[in-house]
Amino acid sequence: MQDNELVLLIKTEPDRGLGILMSEYMGLVCTIVREKLGTVCDEFEMESCAGDIFIEFYNGIDKYSEDKGSVKSYICVMAKRRAIDIFR
């Protein structure tokens, strides 16, 4: 599925669109979060952080622009920033 199709699906059918987004990128997001927080947080806190990233993406879907990069890169940056904020 192309990024523009995924974003449109998230806007029109949030449950289905977020399900696809999460199935596609949850592993990647969890890897990033574990890398940053593995030494300071327990498993529950890391899973909560990962879930929050997808909620944040959904709530700020209008901020995403294909001109700035792919959904994958956008999600990765969000995950790194959120994990760093929690680490602080």
Side-chain angles (χ1 to χ4, degrees), residues 62-80:
D62 293 327
K63 295 177 185 175
Y64 169 74
S65 170
E66 284 185 53
D67 298 336
K68 295 180 182 177
S70 66
V71 168
K72 181 179 180 179
S73 63
Y74 193 79
I75 290 280
C76 286
V77 169
M78 288 175 67
K80 288 177 187 176

Side-chain angles (χ1 to χ4, degrees), residues 5-7 26 35 37 40 43 51 66 69 72 76 79 81:
E5 295 171 329
L6 181 57
V7 170
M26 182 60 87
E35 179 182 295
L37 299 177
V40 296
E43 191 67 26
E66 284 185 53
K72 181 179 180 179
C76 286
R81 289 180 178 173

Side-chain angles (χ1 to χ4, degrees), residues 8-72:
L8 181 61
L9 186 61
I10 291 169
K11 288 179 179 181
T12 58
E13 297 179 56
D15 290 339
R16 186 167 166 237
L18 285 173
I20 292 170
L21 180 73
M22 291 177 76
S23 68
E24 186 73 26
Y25 298 114
M26 182 60 87
L28 177 62
V29 168
C30 286
T31 299
I32 292 168
V33 169
R34 279 193 184 97
E35 179 182 295
K36 304 289 182 199
L37 299 177
T39 59
V40 296
C41 292
D42 62 24
E43 191 67 26
F44 177 78
E45 291 170 321
M46 289 187 283
E47 288 176 8
S48 178
C49 176
D52 289 347
I53 291 159
F54 291 98
I55 293 169
E56 183 181 339
F57 181 82
Y58 172 73
N59 288 335
I61 192 82
D62 293 327
K63 295 177 185 175
Y64 169 74
S65 170
E66 284 185 53
D67 298 336
K68 295 180 182 177
S70 66
V71 168
K72 181 179 180 179

